[in-house]
Amino acid sequence: MIPIKNDEEVGRIREANRIVAMVLHTLKDEVKAGVSTWELDRIAAEIIRGEGAKPAFLGYQIPGLPPFPAAICASMNDTIVHGIPRKGDVLRDGDIIGVDVGTVKNGCYGDGAWTYVVGGVPDETIRLLEVTLASLLCGIAQAVAGNRVGDISAAIGAHIRKNGYHAADSLTGHGVGFALHEEPMVPNVGRKGLGARLRAGMTLAIEPMVNVGTSRVKEVGWEFKTADGSLSAHFEHSILIRDGEPEILTKTG
Ligand code: MG
């Protein structure tokens, strides 16, 4: 069952996501050459706790891996998602870094991600980021009551494919709100008209993960990397389904 949230619950989910957006907005100015991903994690954790929330990723458990050790995921260059922040991972001019932020406050969860560039990057890298963000917006445009999950997935996948890139295999968006991950799965490829019907009051995290060279992924502990070492970008918004245009809960301003 896909949970439908009432107004009071939406209010709490909105608040958790407001904090996610605040972190992602603040990090825009903190991402620069010489800064470690560990330092970005420290800044994010401080903001989250300062807002009376907790980092939702810290201590997150999946079978077979140690609990996730940080507040954010920091995924550089060929790392698609779930990168672990480290003191030794220092940003350099020309890098890209995807930051994924999860929060929990008053029992409700927020989730969002942004990919930043460090200094100057080639035009082709800018294009990857633009296409990935645009594919997210294509998906959001389909996220209206009465449509189906497959309408979101098809719109994202078509935009990625049309631009010559690849949606990362097996990694999907998801419902979010009462848990960090809840039903439904929201794939980044799919077919129009298939999947669960969207209803007002559903809250979804939509998150295209887009690779330059291949859809294939390679898992290294927590981290998902592109199988061919090519770059990967990731943007994620949590949204509220309504009749008509969805509300983006993680707008960074
Ligand atoms: Mg997510």
Side-chain angles (χ1 to χ4, degrees), residues 32-35 76-77 90-96 117-121:
K32 45 185 168 260
V35 174
M76 289 167 70
N77 300 325
V90 176
L91 300 177
R92 292 185 305 185
D93 201 48
D95 284 337
I96 61 170
V117 300
V118 184
V121 299

Side-chain angles (χ1 to χ4, degrees), residues 57 82 100 111-112 172-174 176 180-181 205-207 234 236 238:
F57 300 163
H82 304 172
D100 199 336
D111 192 5
T172 73
H174 50 92
V176 64
L180 185 59
H181 299 112
I206 304 178
E207 49 176 326
H234 178 213
E236 176 179 27
S238 286

Side-chain angles (χ1 to χ4, degrees), residues 5-25:
K5 285 82 178 187
N6 65 30
D7 286 351
E8 186 272 331
E9 292 158 346
V10 165
R12 282 187 281 140
I13 294 166
R14 198 179 272 124
E15 168 64 5
N17 280 292
R18 180 190 67 79
I19 299 164
V20 169
M22 179 188 263
V23 172
L24 292 173
H25 183 74

Side-chain angles (χ1 to χ4, degrees), residues 227-249:
D228 63 352
S230 64
L231 291 180
S232 183
H234 178 213
F235 290 88
E236 176 179 27
H237 275 310
S238 286
I239 58 138
L240 169 67
I241 304 287
R242 303 187 290 197
D243 299 318
E245 206 183 319
E247 178 182 342
I248 298 177
L249 303 172

Side-chain angles (χ1 to χ4, degrees), residues 178-240:
F178 298 146
L180 185 59
H181 299 112
E182 60 190 29
E183 285 190 64
M185 279 189 5
V186 185
N188 294 312
V189 292
R191 282 178 60 193
K192 264 172 100 68
L194 295 185
R197 180 86 65 188
L198 302 173
R199 291 176 54 199
M202 291 179 178
T203 43
L204 305 180
I206 304 178
E207 49 176 326
M209 290 152 267
V210 178
N211 303 342
V212 169
T214 179
S215 64
R216 285 183 304 120
V217 305
K218 150 176 108 183
E219 284 184 66
V220 185
W222 271 101
E223 303 186 338
F224 282 83
K225 292 171 175 285
T226 57
D228 63 352
S230 64
L231 291 180
S232 183
H234 178 213
F235 290 88
E236 176 179 27
H237 275 310
S238 286
I239 58 138
L240 169 67

